Amino acid sequence: GRILIGDQTLAKYINSPQTLLYDKSRILFGLDSAKQEIRKADAAIIVEGYMDFFAVYASGMQHVVASSGTALTLDHIRLLSRFTKNLLFSFDMDAAGTKATMRGIENALAEGMNVKIICLPKKSDGSLKYEDPDECIRAEPAVWEKSVQDAISFMQYHFDTLLTPEALIDGFEKRAYARQLLQSIQPLSDRNASDVSPNRPK
């Protein structure tokens, strides 16, 4: 289910309990419709929810799947690896979406995938202009298209998200940032340099 009111205290999506027929950790919403387009584009856009999937798919970018919330698992990534090695994350721009993106980056790198992040534009004061792809596409489809074209590397995402001014001058903050960064790039140790700098996903 999905709430239809703007109550920030409630979860946007409420999934049914896990059953033999529905296992959220293994199912990617829309993959049945998108798998051929994913092969053709040699890339998969991963969004957080069903409405984001419908908006992106309707915009003409049909190489898209949704992770049913923010839980992108190793099973999801292994499933996508059958169709492409290039992933573009576009989770919500809130704290939960950022946490899910970080976790997804670690899982994807552990499976040898190439990762880029689609970042929606912010307002001049740094606040969110759009919280998710659905909202952006409804308001400014061209902005969404440019955001996809300008998708950044996972390393740049780390720098932009975690590297605060405090981390540059405070020893404790710097150490905490270094730990987070090393934890994320550790899976790269057994990969060739050519694998870390893939051709830009479409």
Side-chain angles (χ1 to χ4, degrees), residues 2 17 29 49 52 75 82-83 96 98 128 141 145 151 156 183-184:
R2 185 184 192 279
F29 183 81
D52 290 332
D75 286 327
R82 301 177 188 176
F83 308 101
T98 299
L128 297 180
E145 292 181 13
Q156 186 63 52
Q183 181 179 352
S184 294

Side-chain angles (χ1 to χ4, degrees), residues 145-156:
E145 292 181 13
K146 189 174 189 312
S147 297
V148 175
Q149 293 171 3
D150 295 341
I152 61 177
S153 70
F154 70 91
M155 288 295 294
Q156 186 63 52

Side-chain angles (χ1 to χ4, degrees), residues 86-193:
N86 301 309
L87 305 180
L88 295 97
F89 292 173
S90 187
F91 292 135
D92 288 4
M93 299 285 287
D94 57 13
T98 299
K99 183 178 180 180
T101 299
M102 293 296 186
R103 186 169 62 246
I105 288 172
E106 292 177 20
N107 286 337
L109 294 181
E111 292 298 308
M113 305 294 276
N114 305 316
V115 182
K116 285 186 177 290
I117 315 300
I118 300 170
C119 297
L120 300 179
K122 294 183 178 181
K123 297 178 181 178
S124 58
D125 62 0
S127 63
L128 297 180
K129 186 175 184 180
Y130 305 113
E131 290 192 359
D132 54 37
D134 178 34
E135 190 175 327
C136 180
I137 291 169
R138 289 174 182 271
E140 296 182 278
V143 170
W144 163 254
E145 292 181 13
K146 189 174 189 312
S147 297
V148 175
Q149 293 171 3
D150 295 341
I152 61 177
S153 70
F154 70 91
M155 288 295 294
Q156 186 63 52
Y157 182 79
H158 266 286
F159 295 145
D160 293 347
T161 305
L162 299 178
L163 189 57
T164 63
E166 292 77 13
L168 296 175
I169 58 176
D170 182 272
F172 291 105
E173 290 288 338
K174 188 181 296 183
R175 190 175 303 145
Y177 169 73
R179 277 199 299 267
Q180 287 179 293
L181 184 60
L182 288 172
Q183 181 179 352
S184 294
I185 66 176
Q186 186 177 6
L188 293 175
S189 58
D190 294 329
R191 298 173 62 189
N192 296 325

Side-chain angles (χ1 to χ4, degrees), residues 1-17 22 24 29 46-56 65-71 90-94 96-97 100 131-135 138:
R2 185 184 192 279
I3 64 169
L4 299 178
I5 57 176
D7 189 340
Q8 299 297 320
T9 65
L10 298 176
K12 184 185 294 185
Y13 294 98
I14 300 176
N15 290 297
S16 62
Y22 177 68
K24 188 172 81 167
F29 183 81
I46 306 174
V47 296
E48 191 172 311
Y50 317 115
M51 300 306 293
D52 290 332
F53 168 84
F54 290 129
V56 175
V65 293
S67 62
S68 301
T70 57
S90 187
F91 292 135
D92 288 4
M93 299 285 287
D94 57 13
E131 290 192 359
D132 54 37
D134 178 34
E135 190 175 327
R138 289 174 182 271

